[in-house]
Amino acid sequence: MDASRTEDESLLGLAIAEARVGLAEGGIPIGAVLVVDGEVLGAGHNRRVQQGSATLHGETDALEAAGRLPASTYARATMVTTLSPCHMCTGAVLLYGIRRVVIGENRTFLGAEDLLRSHGVEVVVLDSEECIEMMTDFIAANPMLWNEDIGEVDRSEA
């Protein structure tokens, strides 16, 4: 195993810990960390349920925790997230010029990875069994909340 994969997996462990905090708070278990030169500048988790927020996903929470940074810092950053980023979080990555995204898993939800790649962002999918199991269990136990979070509409009620 190469050193960068080992480092990515270690950083994913921090994002997983954030996801577990969110789950324990009654939220959706998605976590993220923003890393620059091996240093975690921001860590966060999905807080939509806990905060009644429309926008606090794991990635946006990590960005908020990092605070305002110069463009040169974002250009060296890696966003590590437990789940493939949605279009909103992908937009934030692109807006701030983050050049690398490490994803725990994309089996339970495939976000806008192709959009990231089309803008030159390096996308690494670790295919973490821990992330897959955490999301699979959550989705099975909370399908309505999950569908709300990813913007799925129950067409039978429309």
Side-chain angles (χ1 to χ4, degrees), residues 82-141:
T82 58
L83 186 65
S84 185
C86 70
H87 279 80
M88 178 180 69
C89 294
T90 292
V93 166
L94 296 176
L95 176 68
Y96 291 106
I98 296 167
R99 305 309 305 156
R100 188 166 187 268
V101 176
V102 175
I103 299 167
E105 68 101 351
N106 62 6
R107 290 191 205 175
T108 60
F109 176 77
L110 179 59
E113 294 174 25
D114 286 344
L115 182 58
L116 290 168
R117 288 184 187 99
S118 75
H119 285 268
V121 176
E122 178 187 356
V123 176
V124 177
V125 180
L126 296 179
D127 208 26
S128 162
E129 287 299 326
E130 187 175 1
C131 290
I132 294 165
E133 181 179 336
M134 183 169 43
M135 285 310 302
T136 301
D137 291 350
F138 178 81
I139 293 166

CSV table of all heavy atoms in Angstrom, one decimal, residues 82-141:
chain,number,residue,atom,x,y,z
A,82,THR,N,-16.9,11.1,3.8
A,82,THR,CA,-17.3,9.7,3.9
A,82,THR,C,-18.2,9.3,2.8
A,82,THR,O,-18.3,8.1,2.5
A,82,THR,CB,-18.1,9.5,5.3
A,82,THR,OG1,-19.2,10.3,5.3
A,82,THR,CG2,-17.1,9.7,6.5
A,83,LEU,N,-18.8,10.2,2.1
A,83,LEU,CA,-19.8,9.9,1.0
A,83,LEU,C,-19.5,10.8,-0.2
A,83,LEU,O,-19.2,12.0,0.0
A,83,LEU,CB,-21.2,10.1,1.6
A,83,LEU,CG,-22.3,9.7,0.6
A,83,LEU,CD1,-22.3,8.2,0.4
A,83,LEU,CD2,-23.7,10.1,1.2
A,84,SER,N,-19.8,10.3,-1.3
A,84,SER,CA,-19.6,11.0,-2.6
A,84,SER,C,-20.4,12.4,-2.5
A,84,SER,O,-21.6,12.4,-2.1
A,84,SER,CB,-20.2,10.2,-3.7
A,84,SER,OG,-20.0,10.8,-5.0
A,85,PRO,N,-19.7,13.5,-2.8
A,85,PRO,CA,-20.4,14.8,-2.6
A,85,PRO,C,-21.5,15.1,-3.5
A,85,PRO,O,-21.4,14.8,-4.7
A,85,PRO,CB,-19.2,15.8,-2.8
A,85,PRO,CG,-18.0,15.0,-3.1
A,85,PRO,CD,-18.4,13.6,-3.2
A,86,CYS,N,-22.6,15.6,-2.9
A,86,CYS,CA,-23.7,16.1,-3.7
A,86,CYS,C,-23.3,17.3,-4.6
A,86,CYS,O,-22.2,17.8,-4.5
A,86,CYS,CB,-24.9,16.5,-2.8
A,86,CYS,SG,-24.6,18.0,-1.9
A,87,HIS,N,-24.3,17.7,-5.4
A,87,HIS,CA,-24.0,18.9,-6.3
A,87,HIS,C,-23.6,20.2,-5.5
A,87,HIS,O,-22.8,20.9,-5.9
A,87,HIS,CB,-25.1,19.1,-7.2
A,87,HIS,CG,-25.1,18.2,-8.4
A,87,HIS,ND1,-25.5,16.9,-8.4
A,87,HIS,CD2,-24.6,18.5,-9.7
A,87,HIS,CE1,-25.4,16.4,-9.6
A,87,HIS,NE2,-24.8,17.3,-10.4
A,88,MET,N,-24.3,20.4,-4.3
A,88,MET,CA,-24.0,21.6,-3.5
A,88,MET,C,-22.6,21.5,-3.0
A,88,MET,O,-21.9,22.5,-3.1
A,88,MET,CB,-25.0,21.7,-2.4
A,88,MET,CG,-24.7,22.9,-1.5
A,88,MET,SD,-25.9,23.0,-0.1
A,88,MET,CE,-25.4,21.6,0.9
A,89,CYS,N,-22.2,20.4,-2.5
A,89,CYS,CA,-20.9,20.3,-1.9
A,89,CYS,C,-19.8,20.3,-3.0
A,89,CYS,O,-18.7,20.8,-2.8
A,89,CYS,CB,-20.8,19.0,-1.0
A,89,CYS,SG,-21.9,19.2,0.5
A,90,THR,N,-20.1,19.7,-4.1
A,90,THR,CA,-19.2,19.7,-5.3
A,90,THR,C,-19.0,21.2,-5.7
A,90,THR,O,-17.9,21.6,-6.0
A,90,THR,CB,-19.8,18.9,-6.4
A,90,THR,OG1,-19.8,17.5,-6.1
A,90,THR,CG2,-19.0,19.1,-7.7
A,91,GLY,N,-20.1,21.9,-5.7
A,91,GLY,CA,-20.0,23.4,-6.0
A,91,GLY,C,-19.1,24.1,-5.1
A,91,GLY,O,-18.3,25.0,-5.5
A,92,ALA,N,-19.2,23.8,-3.8
A,92,ALA,CA,-18.3,24.5,-2.8
A,92,ALA,C,-16.9,24.1,-3.1
A,92,ALA,O,-16.0,25.0,-3.0
A,92,ALA,CB,-18.7,24.1,-1.4
A,93,VAL,N,-16.6,22.8,-3.4
A,93,VAL,CA,-15.2,22.4,-3.7
A,93,VAL,C,-14.7,23.2,-4.9
A,93,VAL,O,-13.6,23.7,-4.9
A,93,VAL,CB,-15.2,20.9,-4.0
A,93,VAL,CG1,-13.9,20.5,-4.6
A,93,VAL,CG2,-15.4,20.1,-2.6
A,94,LEU,N,-15.5,23.3,-5.9
A,94,LEU,CA,-15.1,24.0,-7.1
A,94,LEU,C,-15.0,25.5,-6.9
A,94,LEU,O,-14.1,26.2,-7.3
A,94,LEU,CB,-16.1,23.8,-8.3
A,94,LEU,CG,-16.2,22.3,-8.8
A,94,LEU,CD1,-17.3,22.2,-9.8
A,94,LEU,CD2,-14.9,21.8,-9.3
A,95,LEU,N,-15.9,26.1,-6.1
A,95,LEU,CA,-15.9,27.5,-5.8
A,95,LEU,C,-14.6,27.9,-5.1
A,95,LEU,O,-14.0,28.9,-5.4
A,95,LEU,CB,-17.1,27.9,-4.9
A,95,LEU,CG,-17.1,29.3,-4.4
A,95,LEU,CD1,-17.4,30.3,-5.6
A,95,LEU,CD2,-18.2,29.5,-3.3
A,96,TYR,N,-14.1,27.1,-4.2
A,96,TYR,CA,-12.9,27.4,-3.4
A,96,TYR,C,-11.7,26.9,-4.0
A,96,TYR,O,-10.6,27.1,-3.5
A,96,TYR,CB,-13.1,27.0,-2.0
A,96,TYR,CG,-14.1,27.8,-1.3
A,96,TYR,CD1,-15.4,27.3,-1.0
A,96,TYR,CD2,-13.9,29.1,-1.0
A,96,TYR,CE1,-16.3,28.1,-0.4
A,96,TYR,CE2,-14.8,30.0,-0.4
A,96,TYR,CZ,-16.0,29.4,-0.1
A,96,TYR,OH,-17.0,30.2,0.5
A,97,GLY,N,-11.8,26.2,-5.2
A,97,GLY,CA,-10.6,25.7,-5.9
A,97,GLY,C,-9.8,24.6,-5.2
A,97,GLY,O,-8.6,24.5,-5.4
A,98,ILE,N,-10.6,23.8,-4.4
A,98,ILE,CA,-10.0,22.6,-3.8
A,98,ILE,C,-9.6,21.6,-4.9
A,98,ILE,O,-10.5,21.3,-5.8
A,98,ILE,CB,-10.9,22.0,-2.8
A,98,ILE,CG1,-11.1,23.0,-1.6
A,98,ILE,CG2,-10.4,20.7,-2.2
A,98,ILE,CD1,-12.3,22.7,-0.7
A,99,ARG,N,-8.4,21.1,-5.0
A,99,ARG,CA,-7.9,20.3,-6.1
A,99,ARG,C,-8.0,18.8,-5.9
A,99,ARG,O,-7.7,18.1,-6.8
A,99,ARG,CB,-6.5,20.7,-6.4
A,99,ARG,CG,-6.2,22.2,-6.6
A,99,ARG,CD,-7.1,22.8,-7.7
A,99,ARG,NE,-7.1,22.2,-8.9
A,99,ARG,CZ,-8.1,22.2,-9.8
A,99,ARG,NH1,-9.2,22.9,-9.6
A,99,ARG,NH2,-8.0,21.6,-11.0
A,100,ARG,N,-8.4,18.4,-4.7
A,100,ARG,CA,-8.4,16.9,-4.5
A,100,ARG,C,-9.5,16.6,-3.5
A,100,ARG,O,-9.7,17.3,-2.5
A,100,ARG,CB,-7.0,16.5,-3.9
A,100,ARG,CG,-6.8,15.0,-3.7
A,100,ARG,CD,-5.3,14.8,-3.5
A,100,ARG,NE,-5.1,13.3,-3.5
A,100,ARG,CZ,-5.1,12.5,-2.4
A,100,ARG,NH1,-5.4,13.0,-1.2
A,100,ARG,NH2,-4.9,11.3,-2.5
A,101,VAL,N,-10.3,15.5,-3.8
A,101,VAL,CA,-11.3,15.0,-3.0
A,101,VAL,C,-11.1,13.5,-2.7
A,101,VAL,O,-11.0,12.8,-3.7
A,101,VAL,CB,-12.7,15.3,-3.6
A,101,VAL,CG1,-13.8,14.7,-2.7
A,101,VAL,CG2,-12.9,16.8,-3.8
A,102,VAL,N,-11.1,13.1,-1.5
A,102,VAL,CA,-11.0,11.7,-1.1
A,102,VAL,C,-12.4,11.3,-0.6
A,102,VAL,O,-12.9,12.0,0.3
A,102,VAL,CB,-9.9,11.5,-0.1
A,102,VAL,CG1,-10.0,10.0,0.4
A,102,VAL,CG2,-8.6,11.8,-0.6
A,103,ILE,N,-13.0,10.3,-1.2
A,103,ILE,CA,-14.3,9.8,-0.9
A,103,ILE,C,-14.3,8.4,-0.2
A,103,ILE,O,-13.7,7.5,-0.8
A,103,ILE,CB,-15.2,9.8,-2.2
A,103,ILE,CG1,-15.2,11.2,-2.8
A,103,ILE,CG2,-16.5,9.2,-1.9
A,103,ILE,CD1,-15.8,11.2,-4.2
A,104,GLY,N,-15.0,8.3,0.9
A,104,GLY,CA,-15.1,7.0,1.6
A,104,GLY,C,-15.8,6.0,0.7
A,104,GLY,O,-15.3,4.9,0.6
A,105,GLU,N,-17.0,6.4,0.2
A,105,GLU,CA,-17.7,5.4,-0.6
A,105,GLU,C,-18.7,6.2,-1.5
A,105,GLU,O,-19.2,7.3,-1.2
A,105,GLU,CB,-18.5,4.4,0.2
A,105,GLU,CG,-19.6,4.9,1.1
A,105,GLU,CD,-21.0,4.7,0.5
A,105,GLU,OE1,-21.1,4.3,-0.6
A,105,GLU,OE2,-21.9,5.0,1.3
A,106,ASN,N,-19.0,5.5,-2.6
A,106,ASN,CA,-20.0,6.1,-3.6
A,106,ASN,C,-21.0,5.0,-4.0
A,106,ASN,O,-21.7,5.2,-5.0
A,106,ASN,CB,-19.3,6.7,-4.8
A,106,ASN,CG,-18.5,5.7,-5.6
A,106,ASN,OD1,-18.5,4.5,-5.3
A,106,ASN,ND2,-17.8,6.2,-6.6
A,107,ARG,N,-21.2,4.0,-3.2
A,107,ARG,CA,-22.1,2.9,-3.6
A,107,ARG,C,-23.6,3.3,-3.2
A,107,ARG,O,-24.5,3.0,-3.9
A,107,ARG,CB,-21.8,1.6,-3.0
A,107,ARG,CG,-20.5,1.0,-3.6
A,107,ARG,CD,-20.4,-0.4,-3.1
A,107,ARG,NE,-19.0,-0.9,-3.1
A,107,ARG,CZ,-18.6,-2.0,-2.7
A,107,ARG,NH1,-19.4,-2.9,-2.1
A,107,ARG,NH2,-17.3,-2.4,-2.8
A,108,THR,N,-23.7,3.9,-2.0
A,108,THR,CA,-25.1,4.2,-1.5
A,108,THR,C,-25.6,5.5,-2.1
A,108,THR,O,-26.8,5.8,-2.2
A,108,THR,CB,-25.1,4.4,0.0
A,108,THR,OG1,-24.2,5.4,0.4
A,108,THR,CG2,-24.7,3.0,0.7
A,109,PHE,N,-24.6,6.4,-2.6
A,109,PHE,CA,-25.0,7.6,-3.3
A,109,PHE,C,-23.8,8.0,-4.1
A,109,PHE,O,-22.7,8.2,-3.7
A,109,PHE,CB,-25.3,8.7,-2.2
A,109,PHE,CG,-25.6,10.1,-2.8
A,109,PHE,CD1,-26.8,10.3,-3.4
A,109,PHE,CD2,-24.6,11.1,-2.9
A,109,PHE,CE1,-27.1,11.5,-4.0
A,109,PHE,CE2,-24.9,12.3,-3.4
A,109,PHE,CZ,-26.1,12.5,-4.0
A,110,LEU,N,-24.1,8.2,-5.4
A,110,LEU,CA,-23.1,8.7,-6.4
A,110,LEU,C,-23.4,10.2,-6.6
A,110,LEU,O,-24.4,10.5,-7.2
A,110,LEU,CB,-23.1,7.9,-7.7
A,110,LEU,CG,-22.1,8.3,-8.7
A,110,LEU,CD1,-20.7,8.2,-8.2
A,110,LEU,CD2,-22.3,7.5,-10.0
A,111,GLY,N,-22.5,11.0,-6.1
A,111,GLY,CA,-22.7,12.4,-6.2
A,111,GLY,C,-22.1,12.9,-7.6
A,111,GLY,O,-22.1,12.2,-8.6
A,112,ALA,N,-21.6,14.1,-7.6
A,112,ALA,CA,-21.2,14.8,-8.8
A,112,ALA,C,-19.7,14.6,-9.0
A,112,ALA,O,-19.0,15.6,-9.4
A,112,ALA,CB,-21.6,16.3,-8.7
A,113,GLU,N,-19.2,13.4,-8.9
A,113,GLU,CA,-17.8,13.1,-9.1
A,113,GLU,C,-17.4,13.5,-10.5
A,113,GLU,O,-16.2,14.0,-10.7
A,113,GLU,CB,-17.5,11.6,-8.8
A,113,GLU,CG,-17.7,11.3,-7.4
A,113,GLU,CD,-17.6,9.8,-7.1
A,113,GLU,OE1,-16.9,9.1,-7.9
A,113,GLU,OE2,-18.2,9.3,-6.1
A,114,ASP,N,-18.2,13.2,-11.5
A,114,ASP,CA,-17.8,13.5,-12.9
A,114,ASP,C,-17.6,15.0,-13.1
A,114,ASP,O,-16.8,15.5,-13.8
A,114,ASP,CB,-18.8,13.0,-13.9
A,114,ASP,CG,-18.7,11.5,-14.1
A,114,ASP,OD1,-17.7,10.9,-13.6
A,114,ASP,OD2,-19.7,10.9,-14.6
A,115,LEU,N,-18.4,15.8,-12.4
A,115,LEU,CA,-18.3,17.3,-12.5
A,115,LEU,C,-17.0,17.7,-11.9
A,115,LEU,O,-16.3,18.6,-12.4
A,115,LEU,CB,-19.5,17.9,-11.8
A,115,LEU,CG,-19.5,19.5,-11.8
A,115,LEU,CD1,-19.5,20.0,-13.2
A,115,LEU,CD2,-20.7,20.0,-11.0
A,116,LEU,N,-16.6,17.1,-10.8
A,116,LEU,CA,-15.3,17.4,-10.2
A,116,LEU,C,-14.2,17.1,-11.1
A,116,LEU,O,-13.3,17.9,-11.4
A,116,LEU,CB,-15.2,16.6,-8.8
A,116,LEU,CG,-16.0,17.0,-7.7
A,116,LEU,CD1,-15.9,16.0,-6.6
A,116,LEU,CD2,-15.6,18.4,-7.2
A,117,ARG,N,-14.2,15.9,-11.7
A,117,ARG,CA,-13.2,15.5,-12.6
A,117,ARG,C,-13.1,16.4,-13.8
A,117,ARG,O,-12.0,16.7,-14.3
A,117,ARG,CB,-13.4,14.0,-13.0
A,117,ARG,CG,-13.1,13.0,-11.9
A,117,ARG,CD,-13.3,11.6,-12.4
A,117,ARG,NE,-13.2,10.6,-11.4
A,117,ARG,CZ,-14.2,10.1,-10.7
A,117,ARG,NH1,-15.5,10.3,-11.1
A,117,ARG,NH2,-14.0,9.2,-9.7
A,118,SER,N,-14.3,16.8,-14.3
A,118,SER,CA,-14.3,17.6,-15.5
A,118,SER,C,-13.7,19.0,-15.3
A,118,SER,O,-13.3,19.7,-16.2
A,118,SER,CB,-15.7,17.8,-16.0
A,118,SER,OG,-16.5,18.7,-15.2
A,119,HIS,N,-13.5,19.4,-14.0
A,119,HIS,CA,-12.9,20.6,-13.6
A,119,HIS,C,-11.5,20.4,-13.1
A,119,HIS,O,-10.9,21.3,-12.5
A,119,HIS,CB,-13.7,21.4,-12.6
A,119,HIS,CG,-14.9,22.0,-13.1
A,119,HIS,ND1,-15.0,23.3,-13.6
A,119,HIS,CD2,-16.2,21.5,-13.4
A,119,HIS,CE1,-16.2,23.6,-14.0
A,119,HIS,NE2,-16.9,22.5,-13.9
A,120,GLY,N,-10.9,19.2,-13.4
A,120,GLY,CA,-9.5,19.0,-13.0
A,120,GLY,C,-9.3,18.6,-11.6
A,120,GLY,O,-8.1,18.5,-11.2
A,121,VAL,N,-10.3,18.3,-10.8
A,121,VAL,CA,-10.2,17.9,-9.4
A,121,VAL,C,-9.8,16.4,-9.4
A,121,VAL,O,-10.4,15.6,-10.1
A,121,VAL,CB,-11.4,18.1,-8.6
A,121,VAL,CG1,-11.3,17.6,-7.2
A,121,VAL,CG2,-11.8,19.6,-8.6
A,122,GLU,N,-8.8,16.0,-8.7
A,122,GLU,CA,-8.4,14.6,-8.5
A,122,GLU,C,-9.4,14.0,-7.5
A,122,GLU,O,-9.6,14.5,-6.4
A,122,GLU,CB,-7.0,14.5,-7.9
A,122,GLU,CG,-6.6,13.1,-7.6
A,122,GLU,CD,-5.3,12.9,-6.9
A,122,GLU,OE1,-4.6,14.0,-6.6
A,122,GLU,OE2,-4.9,11.8,-6.5
A,123,VAL,N,-10.1,12.9,-7.9
A,123,VAL,CA,-11.1,12.3,-7.1
A,123,VAL,C,-10.6,10.9,-6.8
A,123,VAL,O,-10.2,10.1,-7.7
A,123,VAL,CB,-12.4,12.2,-7.8
A,123,VAL,CG1,-13.4,11.4,-7.0
A,123,VAL,CG2,-13.0,13.6,-8.2
A,124,VAL,N,-10.5,10.6,-5.5
A,124,VAL,CA,-10.0,9.3,-5.0
A,124,VAL,C,-11.1,8.6,-4.3
A,124,VAL,O,-11.6,9.2,-3.3
A,124,VAL,CB,-8.8,9.4,-4.1
A,124,VAL,CG1,-8.3,8.0,-3.6
A,124,VAL,CG2,-7.6,10.1,-4.8
A,125,VAL,N,-11.6,7.4,-4.7
A,125,VAL,CA,-12.7,6.7,-4.0
A,125,VAL,C,-12.0,5.5,-3.3
A,125,VAL,O,-11.5,4.6,-3.9
A,125,VAL,CB,-13.8,6.2,-5.0
A,125,VAL,CG1,-14.9,5.5,-4.2
A,125,VAL,CG2,-14.3,7.4,-5.7
A,126,LEU,N,-12.1,5.5,-2.0
A,126,LEU,CA,-11.5,4.4,-1.2
A,126,LEU,C,-12.3,3.2,-1.0
A,126,LEU,O,-11.8,2.1,-0.7
A,126,LEU,CB,-11.1,5.0,0.2
A,126,LEU,CG,-10.0,6.1,0.2
A,126,LEU,CD1,-9.8,6.6,1.6
A,126,LEU,CD2,-8.8,5.6,-0.5
A,127,ASP,N,-13.6,3.3,-1.3
A,127,ASP,CA,-14.5,2.2,-1.3
A,127,ASP,C,-14.5,1.5,0.1
A,127,ASP,O,-14.3,0.3,0.2
A,127,ASP,CB,-14.2,1.2,-2.4
A,127,ASP,CG,-15.4,0.4,-2.8
A,127,ASP,OD1,-16.6,0.9,-2.7
A,127,ASP,OD2,-15.3,-0.8,-3.3
A,128,SER,N,-14.6,2.3,1.1
A,128,SER,CA,-14.5,1.9,2.5
A,128,SER,C,-15.7,1.1,3.0
A,128,SER,O,-16.9,1.6,2.9
A,128,SER,CB,-14.4,3.1,3.4
A,128,SER,OG,-14.7,2.8,4.8
A,129,GLU,N,-15.5,-0.2,3.4
A,129,GLU,CA,-16.6,-1.0,3.9
A,129,GLU,C,-17.3,-0.4,5.1
A,129,GLU,O,-18.5,-0.5,5.3
A,129,GLU,CB,-16.1,-2.4,4.2
A,129,GLU,CG,-15.7,-3.2,3.0
A,129,GLU,CD,-16.9,-3.5,2.1
A,129,GLU,OE1,-18.1,-3.6,2.6
A,129,GLU,OE2,-16.7,-3.5,0.9
A,130,GLU,N,-16.5,0.3,5.9
A,130,GLU,CA,-17.1,0.9,7.1
A,130,GLU,C,-18.0,2.0,6.7
A,130,GLU,O,-19.1,2.1,7.3
A,130,GLU,CB,-15.9,1.5,8.0
A,130,GLU,CG,-16.4,2.0,9.3
A,130,GLU,CD,-15.3,2.5,10.3
A,130,GLU,OE1,-14.1,2.4,9.9
A,130,GLU,OE2,-15.6,2.9,11.4
A,131,CYS,N,-17.7,2.8,5.7
A,131,CYS,CA,-18.6,3.9,5.3
A,131,CYS,C,-19.8,3.3,4.6
A,131,CYS,O,-20.9,3.8,4.8
A,131,CYS,CB,-17.8,4.8,4.3
A,131,CYS,SG,-16.6,5.8,5.0
A,132,ILE,N,-19.6,2.3,3.8
A,132,ILE,CA,-20.8,1.6,3.1
A,132,ILE,C,-21.7,1.1,4.2
A,132,ILE,O,-22.9,1.3,4.1
A,132,ILE,CB,-20.3,0.5,2.2
A,132,ILE,CG1,-19.5,1.1,1.0
A,132,ILE,CG2,-21.5,-0.3,1.7
A,132,ILE,CD1,-18.7,0.1,0.2
A,133,GLU,N,-21.2,0.3,5.2
A,133,GLU,CA,-22.1,-0.3,6.2
A,133,GLU,C,-22.8,0.8,7.0
A,133,GLU,O,-24.0,0.7,7.3
A,133,GLU,CB,-21.2,-1.1,7.1
A,133,GLU,CG,-22.0,-1.8,8.2
A,133,GLU,CD,-21.2,-2.7,9.1
A,133,GLU,OE1,-20.1,-3.1,8.6
A,133,GLU,OE2,-21.6,-2.9,10.2
A,134,MET,N,-22.1,1.9,7.3
A,134,MET,CA,-22.7,2.9,8.1
A,134,MET,C,-23.9,3.6,7.4
A,134,MET,O,-25.0,3.8,7.9
A,134,MET,CB,-21.7,4.0,8.5
A,134,MET,CG,-22.2,5.1,9.3
A,134,MET,SD,-20.9,6.2,10.0
A,134,MET,CE,-19.8,6.5,8.6
A,135,MET,N,-23.7,3.9,6.1
A,135,MET,CA,-24.8,4.5,5.3
A,135,MET,C,-25.9,3.5,5.0
A,135,MET,O,-27.1,3.8,5.0
A,135,MET,CB,-24.2,5.1,4.0
A,135,MET,CG,-23.4,6.4,4.2
A,135,MET,SD,-24.3,7.6,5.2
A,135,MET,CE,-25.8,7.9,4.3
A,136,THR,N,-25.5,2.3,4.7
A,136,THR,CA,-26.5,1.2,4.4
A,136,THR,C,-27.5,1.0,5.6
A,136,THR,O,-28.7,1.0,5.4
A,136,THR,CB,-25.9,-0.1,3.9
A,136,THR,OG1,-25.1,0.1,2.8
A,136,THR,CG2,-26.9,-1.1,3.6
A,137,ASP,N,-26.9,0.9,6.7
A,137,ASP,CA,-27.7,0.8,8.0
A,137,ASP,C,-28.5,2.0,8.2
A,137,ASP,O,-29.7,1.8,8.6
A,137,ASP,CB,-26.7,0.5,9.2
A,137,ASP,CG,-26.0,-0.8,9.1
A,137,ASP,OD1,-26.4,-1.7,8.3
A,137,ASP,OD2,-25.1,-1.0,10.0
A,138,PHE,N,-28.0,3.2,8.0
A,138,PHE,CA,-28.7,4.4,8.3
A,138,PHE,C,-29.9,4.5,7.3
A,138,PHE,O,-31.0,4.8,7.7
A,138,PHE,CB,-27.9,5.6,8.1
A,138,PHE,CG,-28.6,6.9,8.3
A,138,PHE,CD1,-28.9,7.3,9.6
A,138,PHE,CD2,-29.1,7.6,7.2
A,138,PHE,CE1,-29.7,8.5,9.8
A,138,PHE,CE2,-29.9,8.7,7.4
A,138,PHE,CZ,-30.2,9.2,8.7
A,139,ILE,N,-29.7,4.3,6.0
A,139,ILE,CA,-30.7,4.4,5.0
A,139,ILE,C,-31.8,3.4,5.3
A,139,ILE,O,-33.0,3.7,5.2
A,139,ILE,CB,-30.1,4.2,3.6
A,139,ILE,CG1,-29.2,5.4,3.3
A,139,ILE,CG2,-31.2,4.1,2.5
A,139,ILE,CD1,-28.3,5.2,2.0
A,140,ALA,N,-31.5,2.2,5.7
A,140,ALA,CA,-32.5,1.1,5.9
A,140,ALA,C,-33.3,1.5,7.1
A,140,ALA,O,-34.6,1.3,7.1
A,140,ALA,CB,-31.8,-0.2,6.2
A,141,ALA,N,-32.7,2.2,8.1
A,141,ALA,CA,-33.5,2.6,9.3
A,141,ALA,C,-34.2,3.9,9.2
A,141,ALA,O,-35.2,4.2,9.9
A,141,ALA,CB,-32.5,2.7,10.5
